[in-house]
Amino acid sequence: MNIQIACIPGDGIGPEIVQEAKKVLDRVCEKFGHTIEYTDVLMGGASIDAYGVPLTQETVDICRSRAAVLMGSIGGDAATSPWYKLPPDKRPEAGLLAIRKALGLYANLRPAYLFPELAASCPLAAKEGGRNFDLIIVRELTGGLYFGERWTKDIDGVMTAQDTLRYNENEIRRIIRTAFEIAQKRRKKVTSVDKANVLDTSRLWRKIAAEIAQDFPDVAYENMLVDNCAMQLVRDPEQFDVIVTENMFGDILSDEASMITGSIGMLSSASLNETSFGLYEPSHGSAPDIAGKGIANPIATILSAAMLLRYSFALTAEADAIENAVKKTLADGFRSADLMPKTDDAEGLTKVNCREMGDRICERI
Ligand code: NAD
């Protein structure tokens, strides 16, 4: 297969971690007899520096013309970067919201998986038999509060602000269906999360979820209120397989889910549209505090590249090969700085930099 993807290295550690993900993709393509071509484009702060805006039409067009996009991360240090002196709609993050909308990326998938080798990093209380969770959050990404009408104005001398939370049944239907389809390929359980005891949008959400569930009799289905879900993720994350929820709830719950793994540098994500097109990026940000030092953990981006092969190209064996190589590299004791134990218990572990971590993973493919 000839794989053609766009790449957005981005800002901060973005270029460093994307370089390692490309190296791993090159290796897996070599092994499985594929060719791969990358077209690099700018977005976020790098685009502001080059073109004065965080996202250009050219970047959108190039991304759209490829089957998938691999991204590092964008943004800078809000306290020191000149990008944050610009109006909100000209800042790096505005580019991210705009590209999601322009490419119709309505489904954001964020796995939260506890690697057994990193179980000691999990901040949750120990559990008999050890912690062992593997869940995925499917978040609606192009509707809800973040895209509704909003305003701030003076009403009779009182500053007042309003945001609008709106969903239609079609937006709900497609994300719920995506979640059930993913569950069919996993442990066959969907938890639909809402606030149906208060919100109309949630009551519509729940009604549509129940309808879709009937089309998937092989998948177990339950509803959960978002406040309870936030609690259950900390109490017993093992109970979840696929969690599906609306934009803002998903934003918050997916950050919570990623933190219970204890290792932000490990978590991948995919944002998909109605075709097999997707944008793949690590869950973490551009880490300006360590940018340029060569010590970033590239694994989240490498695992995002595996998701790219799995979801946009249906290359299951190739994606498995990357994921297994990451597990083997960890099992062999290689750790980036963020994964080194804070205590003195580093026996059998070898600290590696960003480039070396990419090399060790390539060697195991
Ligand atoms: P961050 O995720 O960049 O960093 C939080 C902490 O985790 C830092 O100490 C950082 O050094 C560390 N860290 C993150 N990724 C790491 C990695 N791969 N290896 C080792 N350590 C890593 O979050 P932040 O500091 O709140 O945000 C920094 C910038 O990133 C901001 O401009 C923010 O808007 C942006 N951001 C972008 C995205 C995106 O591109 N999708 C997502 C989140 C944040």
Side-chain angles (χ1 to χ4, degrees), residues 3 5 7 18-31 34 36 38 70 301-302 304-306 308-309 322 362 365:
I3 298 170
I5 64 171
C7 277
V18 165
Q19 189 172 331
E20 298 314 307
K22 282 180 174 175
K23 196 156 81 184
V24 170
L25 281 171
D26 287 344
R27 171 70 194 116
V28 86
C29 285
E30 181 193 22
K31 178 169 169 135
H34 306 299
I36 184 159
Y38 310 98
L70 179 67
T301 318
I302 290 168
S304 301
L308 176 150
L309 296 177
I322 295 179
C362 283
I365 290 177

Side-chain angles (χ1 to χ4, degrees), residues 42 48 112 184 216 278 289 329:
L42 299 181
I48 296 173
Q184 274 185 321
F216 295 86
D289 53 334
T329 304

Side-chain angles (χ1 to χ4, degrees), residues 13 17 71-77 84 93 96 100 264-265 281 283-290 295-297 338:
I13 60 170
I17 54 183
M71 190 175 119
S73 39
I74 53 102
D77 182 338
Y84 295 91
E93 289 73 12
L96 195 55
R100 286 174 181 165
I264 194 170
E281 58 175 322
S283 294
H284 58 72
S286 57
D289 53 334
I290 57 166
I295 57 168
N297 180 356
D338 57 305

Side-chain angles (χ1 to χ4, degrees), residues 30-206:
E30 181 193 22
K31 178 169 169 135
F32 286 84
H34 306 299
T35 52
I36 184 159
E37 291 171 43
Y38 310 98
T39 308
D40 281 1
V41 289
L42 299 181
M43 212 259 283
S47 176
I48 296 173
D49 291 345
Y51 306 116
V53 289
L55 178 67
T56 61
Q57 189 59 42
E58 190 194 4
T59 289
V60 173
D61 292 342
I62 290 175
C63 290
R64 211 178 255 144
S65 69
R66 304 296 188 274
V69 183
L70 179 67
M71 190 175 119
S73 39
I74 53 102
D77 182 338
T80 57
S81 165
W83 299 328
Y84 295 91
K85 298 204 165 54
L86 296 167
D89 64 333
K90 298 278 188 304
R91 292 179 192 172
E93 289 73 12
L96 195 55
L97 286 181
I99 201 168
R100 286 174 181 165
K101 195 75 179 173
L103 299 175
L105 304 173
Y106 72 90
N108 180 237
L109 278 47
R110 272 223 220 169
Y113 171 75
L114 187 65
F115 283 85
E117 294 79 12
L118 304 178
S121 313
C122 175
L124 302 183
K127 191 177 164 185
E128 209 173 312
R131 288 272 170 200
N132 176 26
F133 56 86
D134 173 7
L135 62 94
I136 184 162
I137 299 202
V138 179
R139 163 188 170 196
E140 202 291 324
L141 204 57
T142 54
L145 265 182
Y146 298 176
F147 290 93
E149 190 200 347
R150 67 175 65 113
W151 48 257
T152 305
K153 59 186 169 197
D154 186 317
I155 298 181
D156 299 333
V158 181
M159 283 305 286
T160 306
Q162 180 176 299
D163 297 287
T164 312
L165 172 51
R166 177 191 169 122
Y167 271 108
N168 69 41
E169 59 178 303
N170 298 330
E171 292 168 317
I172 300 172
R173 194 164 276 123
R174 65 182 180 179
I175 189 79
I176 300 274
R177 192 166 282 285
T178 299
F180 273 92
E181 286 167 0
I182 290 169
Q184 274 185 321
K185 297 184 196 128
R186 294 174 45 100
R187 298 196 311 281
K188 297 188 171 52
K189 181 178 176 193
V190 167
T191 305
S192 174
V193 172
D194 60 39
K195 188 70 183 167
N197 53 345
V198 179
L199 300 175
D200 267 40
T201 42
S202 283
R203 284 191 276 272
L204 180 62
W205 184 279
R206 199 173 273 212

